[in-house]
Each structure stands twice: as C-alpha cells, then as structure tokens.
Amino acid sequence: MILLSFFAMVFLTTFTGSVIFALWKVVSIGLERCGEIKQISSLMHVVIVFHLIPVVFAWLVYWTGAFVEGKVGNLLTVTPLLLETVRGLALIWVAGFVVEVIRYLRMQRIRRVERRISNPAGPQAKEMVQRLKERLHITEEIPVYELSICTCPFITGVFKSCIYIPEVIENEREMEVILEHELLHHVRRDLRLKKFCCWIVRIQWFNPFAHLLVRQVDSWGDSLCDYYICYESEGRWDIKEYFDVVIRYAEKRAASNLYSQMWMASGKRQIGRRMKRMKRLKEERRNEKGVRRMSVTMLLVCFILASSLTALAAGEGMTSLYERAYESSMSRLAETGESELEEFTRERDDDLRIVETDEEVNLDSRGLNSYTWSLDGGDIYETGIFWASKGDRIGVSVTPSPLTSKIGFGLDQPDGYLRGVSGTGALSHNFTVTVTGFHRVYAENLGSRSISVLVGVSKD
C-alpha cells in the first residue's frame, strides 16, 4: 500500500506541477518582454517545489513510520478492479523509474571514466580560475581538467564542482570567457537546481512537462550567466565578443541533459534566444519605467495566487472524488454482497492452523486498518488483540487475489469461538459484538492453493 500511496502522490503532483509549469511559462513570456529574467528564474523555484512533494512524502513515510501498520483509506479494498488497475499502473511506473535510475548510474560510471582519462589543466587555466574566484567571491576549490574527448566545456558536480574543457583552447580571452561562464553556474547553484529537476524527471518519466522543465533550467541558467558577463562584468566583455565564443561550441554538446552538468552551449537555436534576451535587456536597461515595475509585480502576484489555487483545487478535487467513489462502492456492496452473507459460529480448536500476527488494530484511527497476508490452503491468519464492547459494530472487508478464491473471515471472540462469514471474491461484512473483551479479526483460506488477501478493519 505504500507503493500505491506514493504512486497516487506522484500522479497528483504530476498534474499540479504540469499546470503550474504552464502558468509559469505564460508569466515568463510577459516577464521576458519586461526584461525581468531574474524574476523568471526565481519563479522557476516555485514550480520545482510543487514537483518535489513526492520526495517529501517518501521522507515522511520513512521517518515517521506512516503506513507501517497499514492504516490507509478503504476505497481500494472495496473496489478490487480499481485496486488491480492502480497496482498495474504503479508497477509500470516502477519499471520506468528503475530504467531511469540505471541510465543515471551508467552516466555516473562514464563521469568516473572521464575523470580518470582527463589531465589537470595547465598553469595558465589555474591562474585564471584563481583570479575569477576572487572576483566572484568563491572560496571552494574548483579544479579544471582538460579532456581529449570533450568538445564543449561544462561544469559538473553538485557539492564538489569541477570544470572540463577541451584540450584545444589556446586563446586566452576565449579561455577566460569559458571559465567565467562555468564558475557563474557554480555561484548561482545551477547544478543543484538541475540535480533536483533531473530526479523529478526520473520520478515523472512519463510527464513531458518535466522534461521541458529541465530544458528551461538549462536555458535560464545560461541566460543569467550571459547577463552577468555582458552587463555586470565591469565592461570587460561585449555581447558580440562573448557570443562569438559561445557560438563556437554550439554544435558540440552532448545529447542528454538529464545529469548534473551545465554546458557552455546548447545548439544554435537556443543560443539565438539567449542573444535576443541580452539585446532586449539592453533596451530595457535604458528605458526603465514605473509602469513596467507595476506590471512585473502584478504578474508575480497572479502567478503565486494561481499556483496556490491550483494546488488547493487539485487536493479538494481528489478528496471529493475519493469520497464519491467510496460511497458509491459501499452502496454497491451493501446492495449486492453483505445481505447474502450468513454468519456462523464454530469452536476454536487445536486442529485449526491459526497464525497470530500480533499486528495492531486501532479502532480509533480515522482510516482503515489494513493488512496483507499470504495464506496457504487451510491457513487462518489473525490480527493482534483489540478491545470491543458488546454492541460495537466492527466492519471487516477482504479482497483475495486471485478474486475467484473462496475466503472466510470474521472475529475470534474472547469466549473461544470463531464467528464469521464466507464467500468468493471481494466481500465486506459488519459484525455486531456480542461478548465484551479482547477480540481478533481473522481471515481463512478455504481453498487448496495459496492466495494473497487484503484485510480491512474499521469501527462504525
């Protein structure tokens, strides 16, 4: 059930994240026309936060022990078809996630190979890096390596960054542009942001908007580096000189961008967009107006409000859908299943193969107490003990796999008798307690082959 819960969270976050990404894209067009590329990058962090919810969910599950005892909603236990559908989709998602992880591990191995076959850059590059680090106020050690198979400079490493450059760079000015651009990615922490986004893509591998998000992180990360070099570097570079160097590597970058690397260039089309942004920024810097600032503020407020309302509406919509589906399913069971189940009572004797699991039953919990057991033919599995008073109503539901299996279930009473019902397929029944004391809920495999059964227990 943890897998199904996590998959549901991934699905919901995919929906909300995609909608918010689309909103961000619309807002970014307006902000770009105003020359506010810094605001665009900041709002991108908001989009990423909405995509990181599954990671936070997994962390909470691990550290808080949520769902360890199987206390989950009871929709799936009364709708076996929906349960099998969601389980199948979850398994497909797991398969895709595993493939993405394998690709990531393979690329990590390639990075290690590149590190082994590379050589430390010469004294000229080291001296230049030291000067740039002082100018950019960087205290960390960032080594530079020359790589014979590298055709486009890039920076990699989330916590320990390093720069790889081709061996053929001879022009000192070109070398300085390259190193300054890559060091700016380190200053802006673009590598960490991209690392987050790449794991979002691995989790949401089926979502095209997640792949677009990674490309936008690359694009706007490069644009902010362009902005600094062209306008904030004390006039050391102009747009033409800078982009002459960038264009030189436009067709020489790697194919995949799903790893913690930031490349110097990303194709002529993308570089064309970056150049237009810098030219537009030049015009906007000459003509700053209060009206433009007001427009930017309104766009930011609208985006934050729309994002919050989207997330709230998605959560409320999911809750409403769950409640309606559950009520419909329970009504269907009440009409077709429970009235046909006839209770029986038998003595608890030594001939029965009873396994006491001691799994806790908390009748005060809001959700359903849920347990999954594997039963051989003739086996009886029981929960841990719980207190019930005469007149209490205990609801028990079972979903065997395969669904054609014959199953028995009910209460193991304190007077030594088993009280239950039996049938085939997914079943549900409410037991009115007749003896005050400690009880257990049991499930029995009435067939000869092994089955898996999902048992739910609640108090009406």
Side-chain angles (χ1 to χ4, degrees):
M1 296 303 292
I2 294 177
L3 171 61
L4 299 186
S5 300
F6 186 75
F7 173 71
M9 181 63 70
V10 169
F11 180 79
L12 179 60
T13 309
T14 298
F15 173 75
T16 56
S18 298
V19 172
I20 292 169
F21 174 80
L23 290 173
W24 170 84
K25 190 62 180 175
V26 172
V27 172
S28 69
I29 293 172
L31 291 174
E32 186 176 354
R33 289 178 179 175
C34 296
E36 294 288 341
I37 66 172
K38 292 182 180 179
Q39 297 289 355
I40 295 173
S41 181
S42 299
L43 289 181
M44 190 184 297
H45 289 71
V46 178
V47 179
I48 293 170
V49 166
F50 281 95
H51 283 84
L52 288 177
I53 292 176
V55 179
V56 176
F57 175 79
W59 183 85
L60 289 174
V61 168
Y62 178 78
W63 286 105
T64 64
F67 304 115
V68 169
E69 297 167 0
K71 297 177 179 61
V72 298
N74 39 11
L75 173 62
L76 296 180
T77 54
V78 297
T79 52
L81 179 59
L82 180 60
L83 173 63
E84 294 301 326
T85 301
V86 175
R87 183 178 292 164
L89 292 174
L91 291 176
I92 293 173
W93 170 76
V94 168
F97 178 68
V98 170
V99 170
E100 292 295 330
V101 171
I102 291 173
R103 291 175 58 193
Y104 167 75
L105 295 176
R106 182 184 299 172
M107 182 54 66
Q108 290 295 99
R109 187 170 67 249
I110 293 174
R111 291 277 81 84
R112 289 193 292 269
V113 171
E114 289 177 344
R115 176 65 184 86
R116 286 199 298 269
I117 65 176
S118 63
N119 298 309
Q124 180 185 10
K126 290 182 180 179
E127 182 182 350
M128 196 173 293
V129 166
Q130 190 60 37
R131 291 202 311 267
L132 291 171
K133 283 172 57 180
E134 292 175 0
R135 182 179 292 123
L136 299 174
H137 307 291
I138 299 174
T139 58
E140 298 91 339
E141 186 66 27
I142 302 178
V144 180
Y145 299 99
E146 293 181 349
L147 186 60
S148 59
I149 62 174
C150 174
T151 56
C152 180
F154 66 93
I155 185 170
T156 186
V158 177
F159 300 106
K160 293 184 179 180
S161 301
C162 58
I163 299 172
Y164 289 88
I165 60 175
E167 292 181 336
V168 295
I169 300 177
E170 297 177 356
N171 186 292
E172 184 177 344
R173 293 282 287 178
E174 180 178 334
M175 174 80 77
E176 187 172 356
V177 167
I178 291 171
L179 294 177
E180 187 166 3
H181 180 98
E182 303 305 339
L183 287 172
L184 282 168
H185 282 307
H186 174 82
V187 171
R188 297 191 61 259
R189 295 181 173 83
D190 288 332
L191 292 170
R192 297 182 186 181
L193 186 65
K194 187 170 181 180
K195 186 81 167 182
F196 275 129
C197 291
C198 289
W199 278 104
I200 289 171
V201 171
R202 292 182 186 107
I203 292 174
Q204 299 182 15
W205 54 266
F206 54 89
N207 180 14
F209 288 103
H211 292 265
L212 289 175
L213 178 62
V214 174
R215 293 181 193 145
Q216 293 299 315
V217 168
D218 273 336
S219 176
W220 288 105
D222 283 332
S223 290
L224 286 172
C225 292
D226 299 341
Y227 171 80
Y228 179 89
I229 292 175
C230 293
Y231 300 118
E232 302 291 338
S233 60
E234 302 174 352
R236 291 182 298 114
W237 310 103
D238 59 38
I239 293 178
K240 183 180 183 306
E241 183 182 11
Y242 170 70
F243 277 102
D244 280 343
V245 177
V246 174
I247 291 172
R248 197 164 297 142
Y249 298 94
E251 298 297 340
K252 301 179 180 179
R253 62 159 295 168
S256 177
N257 63 347
L258 295 183
Y259 306 98
S260 54
Q261 304 158 349
M262 299 295 290
W263 299 82
M264 177 73 178
S266 52
K268 289 184 178 179
R269 184 178 179 182
Q270 184 61 39
I271 291 175
R273 293 197 188 106
R274 288 163 57 182
M275 293 175 67
K276 289 179 181 178
R277 287 170 187 165
M278 293 306 106
K279 291 179 180 178
R280 186 180 294 115
L281 276 173
K282 189 174 183 178
E283 296 172 359
E284 292 296 334
R285 285 162 62 88
R286 293 174 181 170
N287 304 300
E288 289 195 6
K289 298 179 180 179
V291 175
R292 182 176 66 83
R293 291 183 178 274
M294 181 65 69
S295 300
V296 170
T297 303
M298 291 298 295
L299 281 172
L300 296 177
V301 171
C302 290
F303 174 76
I304 293 173
L305 286 176
S307 300
S308 302
L309 289 174
T310 298
L312 178 62
E316 290 295 328
M318 183 68 75
T319 301
S320 177
L321 179 64
Y322 172 89
E323 290 176 350
R324 291 184 181 181
Y326 175 69
E327 290 174 0
S328 175
S329 301
M330 291 303 292
S331 299
R332 178 181 56 80
L333 282 177
E335 293 172 358
T336 62
E338 186 174 330
S339 60
E340 300 176 1
L341 299 178
E342 186 174 344
E343 292 189 13
F344 60 83
T345 303
R346 59 174 168 165
E347 190 174 359
R348 192 182 197 273
D349 56 49
D350 296 335
D351 294 334
L352 299 175
R353 298 204 304 269
I354 298 178
V355 178
E356 296 177 354
T357 64
D358 293 328
E359 294 181 88
E360 180 187 354
V361 177
N362 182 8
L363 296 180
D364 295 325
S365 65
R366 293 182 59 187
L368 193 71
N369 296 267
S370 182
Y371 316 92
T372 302
W373 296 327
S374 296
L375 307 179
D376 292 331
D379 279 357
I380 298 177
Y381 271 52
E382 294 187 335
T383 65
I385 60 173
F386 60 91
W387 182 268
S389 302
K390 185 176 181 179
D392 288 344
R393 287 175 58 84
I394 308 299
V396 182
S397 61
V398 294
T399 304
S401 180
L403 283 172
T404 55
S405 305
K406 189 173 183 180
I407 191 81
F409 62 96
L411 300 178
D412 187 347
Q413 301 183 139
D415 59 4
Y417 285 88
L418 297 178
R419 176 168 155 232
V421 294
S422 63
T424 301
L427 301 170
S428 177
H429 190 75
N430 286 322
F431 295 91
T432 302
V433 175
T434 57
V435 180
T436 298
F438 288 103
H439 294 69
R440 296 176 187 266
V441 169
Y442 76 88
E444 180 180 8
N445 182 0
L446 298 177
S448 57
R449 61 177 179 174
S450 298
I451 65 171
S452 175
V453 60
L454 179 64
V455 179
V457 182
S458 63
K459 182 179 179 181
D460 289 353

